[in-house]
Amino acid sequence: MVADAGLNSIAAITLNGLNPAQREAALALDGPLLIVAGAGSGKTRVLTYRIAYLLAERKVASEQILAVTFTNKAANEMRERVARLVGQGLAPRWIGTFHSVCARILRREARLLSYRGNFAVFDEGDALSVAREVITAANLNHAPTPELAYAQIEQAKNEALWPADLARAASSPKQSALAEIYRLYQERMQSMNALDFGDLLLLAFKLFADHPEALERWQQRFAYILVDEYQDTNRAQYYLIRALARASSNLCVVGDEDQSIYRWRGADIRNILDFEHDFPNAKILKLEQNYRSTKTILAAAQTLICNNRNRKPKELWTANEAGEPIICCTGFSERDEAEFIVSEVQRLAASGRAALNEVVIFYRVNAQSRPLEEVLVRRRVPYRLVGGVRFYERREIKDLIAYLRIIANPADELSLERALGVPPRGIGARTVEALKAHARRRSISLFEALGDAESVSEIALRIGKKASAFYLWLRELMERMGVMAVRETLAEILSKTDFLAYLDGLPDAGARRENVGELLSAAAAFDTAHGAGALVQFLESVALLSEADEAREPGGVSLMTLHTSKGLEYAVAFIAGMEEGLFPHSRSQDTEAELEEERRLLYVGMTRARKLLYLTNARSREIYGLRQEARPSRFLAEIDPALIRRLGEPGPGAPPPALSRSTYVDYSEGDPVFDEAEDEAGNGLLRVGARVAHPSFGAGRIRRLEGRGESAKAWVDFERGGIKLLALKYARLRSIA
């Protein structure tokens, strides 16, 4: 450990901001170190101060420090924090996500892998298009769907497997077909000088495995390596870090196996659980003081996660206030659940306890957002859906980005085809096919074939002239790329193509124009930070944005899946859909490993809350158009009941209080809810809580009545058939004792 004596003023200020455990972690600079950082324990603070100490006290050159984070947003935040402590001039240049760091390395070493440094980075949609094209052209028996093929290729890359690896391991025609599709997919991507997200990791690993001289260069550059969220690394990332750290052994990884929630994306929890085995001389330190949540929220999360076996024991504690109990509320249906959540959001906002942008509603699957959104819209509560159609995936934005990608990488045929058709310029599918045939005959790229369009016999001269003019204009932009700012390039594209006039002929033209304006603003901001001639870097930054990077923009209540919650915190958190089959999900209950990941997912969601935490469920839920009875999640029973205040539970012989108007159901702008109603079938007065009998379903109890006259309905909880929604006009219910 580095001694405290002789600290300069910058380092002293840095270390004074740490508690004893954080201070020890920041000063354990040499050799492998695992920092087990519990939720809300200040791990970003430790990493930031550790970097600042290396710079200010150890006098380590900024380019010799590599810090890898989970999101671009986390990387920017860390870079800004370090700069505030040590000054802009000393801030490290190599702070970023795995994908962004690998992209930077590959741009410098691309020639060793037979790529060019201006390669394009394809997002999932574009990569899927390539998979679809390859599968169609190959016409293989036993070929999977493009979606499945792409997912399996992505998984193979996460595990650092190549097509030849899959081919050797294939034990069925389907597996052999997948291996061949993977091979063809890689060839097609390379022909376009394009990489997908998995390639960024896989090719960096290949670079270090096949070119020892390149590995040595980067080992010498990075004397100190720090990795955040180590529990979510996949095998390819693990191999990369292990290779880079082999020379210096100065590897610091920070993580918490209790927050490993991306197994489906390739994350391997063994990476953190086996760290001591991989690095026998490693030091293990724990950060157990939580600065985020109340004692109650933290204790509830702890009692839940202690049910997992595959974890490192730790005891989180906090000096924060005890806080209020966890609210568990059971609605009769998903609509009730949504009404309660939105009512609480409005109540908290009106009382000043939580601003709307300090409230999040989590759910397990995207489909759960529909009833929530409907109620939010009806009650005019502003909200922001995280993980919907992201800005850079909107049609008009992708159209403009396609132009930029061609200018940066003329081999990108996918983008060239998109730009040729938008706005329409008379160059249709038949012309493109003729150009492709010409390119194959001449062994040239599609872009080069575009320049020959006037001489291709299959193309009408009028159309050939348009294609040639388009080619010459793009060539001119390519030649000026090194001196043009991104915004300037976009402005010329908009002007030359009459793009805005084209938008005016589409639905939602106003919103689309606003999106284009936002893209221009983003480009201008990028130009201010990077100067002219940085188009490749702009495209890379756009391609590597994640949902989590967009998750905290202002705009009312946040709605998102729990998988998007990492790295975020809110004053108030609602977790909806706490039901068996939904959470834990029905597809994640086959093995103990899957069930433990579901439990970790809930743990992560719970520990996002600072002040208030709500867990909600419904007694019935409509799934695939059918209403089904829902059972409470087993996870609710794993939380210490002393920490919970439950709503919506039936007392002895009484209906659930959450299902009466006095508790939370409020359909003031929708269907009215009643305590009693006249049965249209002539069976007398029906009341909420009354026992009734049905000719087919048998005995049950009325839980809610809504609507009047012809529209009157009853929610009945039958002893044998579960919950049913019945129209009173046809139900033939009769009261029983």
Side-chain angles (χ1 to χ4, degrees):
M1 180 182 295
V2 177
D4 286 359
L7 296 178
N8 62 23
S9 59
I10 293 175
I13 293 171
T14 299
L15 296 175
N16 287 340
L18 304 177
N19 67 34
Q22 292 172 335
R23 182 186 181 92
E24 183 180 6
L27 291 175
L29 300 174
D30 300 313
L33 170 67
L34 167 61
I35 303 174
V36 180
S41 61
K43 64 181 177 63
T44 304
R45 191 177 187 85
V46 169
L47 288 174
T48 301
Y49 293 172
R50 182 183 177 90
I51 294 171
Y53 190 83
L54 284 169
L55 294 167
E57 177 65 14
R58 282 287 182 94
K59 308 301 182 187
V60 176
S62 62
E63 61 268 18
Q64 289 190 292
I65 299 173
L66 170 64
V68 185
T69 63
F70 191 69
T71 65
N72 293 293
K73 192 167 189 174
N76 292 334
E77 180 183 342
M78 187 180 296
R79 190 179 298 109
E80 291 167 3
R81 287 191 186 187
V82 173
R84 285 197 296 268
L85 291 169
V86 301
Q88 290 289 346
L90 283 178
R93 301 184 181 94
W94 286 87
I95 297 179
T97 65
F98 268 103
H99 292 97
S100 64
V101 167
C102 288
R104 289 179 66 184
I105 292 173
L106 290 172
R107 291 205 187 279
R108 302 185 186 194
E109 307 282 4
R111 59 180 178 79
L112 294 177
L113 300 170
S114 300
Y115 283 84
R116 297 183 296 282
N118 64 339
F119 57 76
V121 180
F122 280 11
D123 62 20
E124 182 176 339
D126 291 332
L128 185 58
S129 296
V130 176
R132 187 174 292 111
E133 173 192 325
V134 164
I135 290 172
T136 301
N139 194 27
L140 296 172
N141 292 326
H142 307 290
T145 64
E147 291 76 12
L148 179 58
Y150 175 72
Q152 292 176 328
I153 290 171
E154 186 178 38
Q155 182 62 31
K157 291 179 179 181
N158 288 337
E159 297 173 9
L161 298 175
W162 287 92
D165 298 318
L166 296 194
R168 281 192 296 269
S171 59
S172 70
K174 285 186 177 181
Q175 292 175 352
S176 297
L178 175 65
E180 178 63 9
I181 289 167
Y182 185 5
R183 183 185 70 80
L184 295 171
Y185 172 86
Q186 290 300 106
E187 289 180 356
R188 180 64 177 133
M189 291 288 285
Q190 187 164 9
S191 74
M192 293 189 289
N193 196 36
L195 280 63
D196 62 23
F197 288 177
D199 285 328
L200 293 172
L201 305 176
L202 190 65
L203 290 177
F205 170 59
K206 180 178 175 61
L207 172 72
F208 294 152
D210 294 354
H211 300 277
E213 73 285 1
L215 174 59
E216 185 178 355
R217 277 198 298 274
W218 293 100
Q219 286 176 333
Q220 290 176 353
R221 173 185 286 273
F222 299 134
Y224 291 89
I225 301 172
L226 303 89
V227 183
D228 195 9
E229 305 286 5
Y230 191 66
Q231 76 281 350
D232 288 325
T233 53
N234 59 37
R235 294 313 274 181
Q237 292 164 335
Y238 163 78
Y239 292 141
L240 284 169
I241 290 300
R242 190 176 64 173
L244 283 171
R246 190 177 296 130
S248 71
S249 293
N250 293 329
L251 171 64
C252 169
V253 303
V254 183
D256 178 12
E257 77 288 346
D258 288 339
Q259 299 183 68
S260 178
I261 61 173
Y262 295 111
R263 183 171 176 267
W264 54 278
R265 196 187 283 171
D268 193 334
I269 197 171
R270 293 176 300 172
N271 294 348
I272 190 168
L273 292 176
D274 297 342
F275 188 81
E276 303 97 309
H277 178 267
D278 295 331
F279 301 92
N281 60 333
K283 186 170 186 176
I284 313 297
L285 298 175
K286 295 181 181 180
L287 303 181
E288 297 177 304
Q289 182 176 0
N290 176 283
Y291 289 91
R292 179 185 300 149
S293 305
T294 64
K295 286 184 173 70
T296 299
I297 292 173
L298 190 61
Q302 283 284 98
T303 61
L304 172 80
I305 202 62
C306 283
N307 289 277
N308 275 9
R309 296 181 184 179
N310 293 306
R311 61 187 300 267
K312 295 177 181 291
K314 64 183 78 68
E315 292 295 330
L316 296 191
W317 62 278
T318 183
N320 294 341
E321 62 182 357
E324 298 184 26
I326 312 303
I327 303 288
C328 285
C329 185
T330 300
F332 203 83
S333 67
E334 69 274 14
R335 184 175 177 182
D336 272 350
E337 180 186 44
E339 291 283 353
F340 167 72
I341 290 172
V342 178
S343 293
E344 282 295 284
V345 169
Q346 290 179 304
R347 183 180 67 82
L348 293 170
S351 65
R353 298 192 63 188
L356 292 179
N357 63 359
E358 278 294 298
V359 177
V360 65
I361 304 173
F362 292 127
Y363 35 81
R364 177 62 179 81
V365 296
N366 279 308
Q368 288 176 256
S369 73
R370 182 189 57 79
L372 292 163
E373 290 188 77
E374 287 175 356
V375 178
L376 287 164
V377 169
R378 178 161 53 78
R379 294 189 175 217
R380 299 180 178 87
V381 177
Y383 71 94
R384 183 171 183 276
L385 186 66
V386 178
V389 179
R390 293 164 49 211
F391 179 77
Y392 287 103
E393 292 176 352
R394 292 168 186 168
R395 172 178 161 183
E396 60 277 9
I397 301 303
K398 291 203 71 169
D399 290 339
L400 289 171
I401 293 295
Y403 281 88
L404 297 180
R405 282 179 23 177
I406 299 162
I407 295 167
N409 174 27
D412 184 350
E413 294 185 7
L414 205 67
S415 294
L416 180 56
E417 286 190 55
R418 185 173 192 129
L420 281 169
V422 180
R425 51 176 54 85
I427 303 174
R430 286 200 301 179
T431 301
V432 172
E433 286 304 315
L435 289 170
K436 286 181 176 180
H438 178 71
R440 288 191 294 269
R441 288 193 299 268
R442 296 279 307 279
S443 297
I444 58 177
S445 70
L446 181 61
F447 180 74
E448 291 171 307
L450 189 66
D452 295 342
E454 289 184 69
S455 62
V456 177
S457 59
E458 298 93 337
I459 299 175
L461 184 59
R462 174 180 56 84
I463 296 175
K465 287 182 179 296
K466 288 183 179 180
S468 294
F470 186 63
Y471 167 82
L472 292 172
W473 171 59
L474 289 175
R475 281 295 301 267
E476 180 189 349
L477 289 177
M478 291 171 190
E479 292 168 1
R480 296 161 53 199
M481 184 179 75
V483 296
M484 289 181 73
V486 178
R487 193 195 185 286
E488 180 187 1
T489 306
L490 280 169
E492 179 156 341
I493 293 168
L494 290 170
S495 173
K496 185 75 173 180
T497 63
D498 288 329
F499 193 84
L500 294 178
Y502 155 72
L503 290 182
D504 288 337
L506 299 179
D508 302 321
R512 296 178 190 275
R513 276 178 166 266
E514 290 175 2
N515 289 337
V516 171
E518 184 62 28
L519 178 62
L520 290 170
S521 298
F526 183 89
D527 293 334
T528 300
H530 297 82
L535 177 58
V536 171
Q537 291 86 342
F538 175 76
L539 291 171
E540 184 178 300
S541 69
V542 167
L544 298 181
L545 276 176
S546 69
E547 290 177 359
D549 291 320
E550 301 180 359
R552 286 306 299 271
E553 299 298 325
V557 179
S558 295
L559 272 67
M560 68 184 78
T561 66
L562 282 153
H563 280 105
T564 314
S565 65
K566 285 290 290 291
L568 305 176
E569 63 177 64
Y570 294 84
V572 182
F574 293 83
I575 303 179
M578 295 295 302
E579 298 147 27
E580 285 294 305
L582 189 55
F583 202 9
H585 198 278
S586 58
R587 293 196 301 268
S588 302
Q589 300 181 31
D590 294 338
T591 67
E592 182 179 1
E594 291 173 337
L595 189 59
E596 288 201 352
E597 175 135 337
E598 289 288 290
R599 191 176 285 114
R600 291 194 296 267
L601 186 58
L602 177 56
Y603 174 81
V604 168
M606 293 173 70
T607 54
R608 300 310 94 191
R610 295 198 304 269
K611 299 292 185 182
L612 293 173
L613 174 63
Y614 293 77
L615 305 176
T616 68
N617 64 336
R619 298 195 64 198
S620 76
R621 188 173 296 272
E622 191 172 283
I623 300 174
Y624 301 118
L626 298 175
R627 181 154 299 280
Q628 301 178 17
E629 186 173 10
R631 291 181 295 121
S633 169
R634 71 189 73 184
F635 295 151
L636 292 174
E638 295 176 355
I639 300 171
D640 184 351
L643 304 172
I644 293 175
R645 180 162 68 91
R646 295 184 182 272
L647 302 177
E649 290 190 333
L659 300 181
S660 71
R661 286 178 295 173
S662 61
T663 306
Y664 76 88
V665 177
D666 177 13
Y667 288 173
S668 56
E669 297 181 51
D671 292 335
V673 177
F674 300 101
D675 293 323
E676 60 183 34
E678 184 71 30
D679 179 5
E680 292 295 324
N683 292 321
L685 197 65
L686 298 174
R687 291 183 172 84
V688 170
R691 281 177 53 77
V692 294
H694 185 274
S696 300
F697 303 128
R701 189 180 298 276
I702 295 177
R703 293 308 188 187
R704 194 170 76 203
L705 294 163
E706 60 185 55
R708 289 190 186 278
E710 297 282 323
S711 301
K713 300 181 183 68
W715 293 83
V716 184
D717 188 358
F718 290 101
E719 294 171 3
R720 295 196 309 270
I723 296 167
K724 307 291 183 186
L725 176 61
L726 305 175
L728 292 182
K729 184 175 181 179
Y730 307 106
R732 292 187 293 165
L733 294 175
R734 60 181 178 84
S735 299
I736 59 175

